Amino acid sequence: MLTHAAEDYLKSIYKLQEKVGKVSTGILAEYLNVKPASATGMIKKLKTMKLVRHQRYQGVTLTDAGKAIALEIIRHHRLLELYLFKALGVPWDGVHEEAEKLEHVISEDVEARMDEFLGYPTADPHGSPIPDKNGFVTKTESVPMTDLCSGQSCIVAEVSDTDSALLRHLGSLNLYPGTAFRVIEVAPFDGPFTIDIAGQQVVIGREVAKHVFVEDVQE
């Protein structure tokens, strides 16, 4: 049996690996808010269990076995987020923390029942893909909002889910996954974006825009 901490490491390595490839101990420690020595110790344990590959100064990557566990935990987490949101009415800015607590302890039976109850969903409330029961992840061709130019139209595909204050702000602007908008103006020198959502103009700061990912971009 893996500890919850070990599962958190595998999940975090998977997410970072998707972004940067091989993950350094320093990056992993910063992401998990732990000391580098703690990260090094856990990596050694996971390597002994054949769940990660690690070479000094070469970073860490998941083995197939480690990836399977990481995807299972991510599947639990995102199904829980959607269940909490849809079935229990927990606000979308509060489901992440609750799912973090529950993702390690739900049974496979409960996972399957949630999946069926929700209609076998493919994305959580924030637009993040839910791995299927075989560990397959459907990926979208999304780009960060900061890549957009004036005059382009698009649809929100996904938003970062770890900052509840950011989610409340995005919710106040109706920037949910599935929301369509048009870029009216991009201010120069890394300035904000002025966008039109269903006839309403709103201004989005660049730091916020970094956490919004869009798809179906049209000129």
Side-chain angles (χ1 to χ4, degrees):
M1 288 289 291
L2 286 175
T3 64
H4 295 178
E7 291 178 343
D8 282 337
Y9 268 84
L10 293 174
K11 179 179 71 171
S12 299
I13 293 168
Y14 174 83
K15 290 182 176 181
L16 290 169
Q17 192 175 311
E18 288 290 288
K19 294 180 180 178
V20 301
K22 290 184 178 179
V23 182
S24 72
T25 302
I27 289 174
L28 181 59
E30 183 179 359
Y31 185 81
L32 287 166
N33 194 28
V34 299
K35 294 181 179 179
S38 297
T40 298
M42 180 60 79
I43 288 170
K44 288 180 179 178
K45 292 179 183 178
L46 295 173
K47 183 178 180 181
T48 300
M49 300 170 73
K50 302 187 185 305
L51 297 176
V52 302
R53 302 182 190 90
H54 179 252
Q55 290 182 316
R56 195 173 185 183
Y57 307 123
Q58 297 297 315
V60 59
T61 58
L62 296 174
T63 63
D64 288 344
K67 182 179 178 181
I69 294 171
L71 285 168
E72 181 68 10
I73 298 301
I74 290 170
R75 174 172 165 79
H76 287 180
H77 181 98
R78 292 176 180 172
L79 278 172
L80 280 162
E81 284 193 336
L82 192 60
Y83 182 80
L84 291 165
F85 179 67
K86 282 196 168 184
L88 302 184
V90 179
W92 84 323
D93 57 275
V95 294
H96 178 76
E97 289 187 3
E98 293 297 331
E100 285 283 298
K101 301 170 188 174
L102 297 170
E103 64 187 21
H104 303 287
V105 297
I106 65 168
S107 67
E108 299 308 301
D109 179 60
V110 169
E111 174 203 305
R113 289 173 183 271
M114 283 194 302
D115 195 25
E116 181 180 10
F117 175 83
L118 294 166
Y120 307 103
T122 58
D124 72 11
H126 314 108
S128 301
I130 299 174
D132 69 15
K133 62 182 180 180
N134 298 314
F136 177 77
V137 182
T138 301
K139 296 185 179 181
T140 59
E141 297 296 326
S142 62
V143 297
M145 183 178 169
T146 48
D147 285 0
L148 298 178
C149 301
S150 298
Q152 291 183 315
S153 299
C154 60
I155 297 172
V156 178
E158 183 178 352
V159 298
S160 299
D161 67 352
T162 55
D163 188 328
S164 58
L166 171 68
L167 288 171
R168 284 193 294 273
H169 178 61
L170 292 175
S172 72
L173 301 173
N174 290 318
L175 274 177
Y176 298 102
T179 297
F181 69 86
R182 180 173 62 87
V183 180
I184 298 173
E185 181 185 16
V186 182
F189 305 108
D190 290 336
F193 292 72
T194 302
I195 66 175
D196 180 284
I197 304 175
Q200 181 179 2
Q201 291 190 15
V202 297
V203 178
I204 309 294
R206 191 164 289 267
E207 282 302 311
V208 172
K210 290 178 181 178
H211 298 280
V212 178
F213 300 88
V214 302
E215 60 185 355
D216 294 335
V217 179
Q218 306 291 329
E219 298 295 336

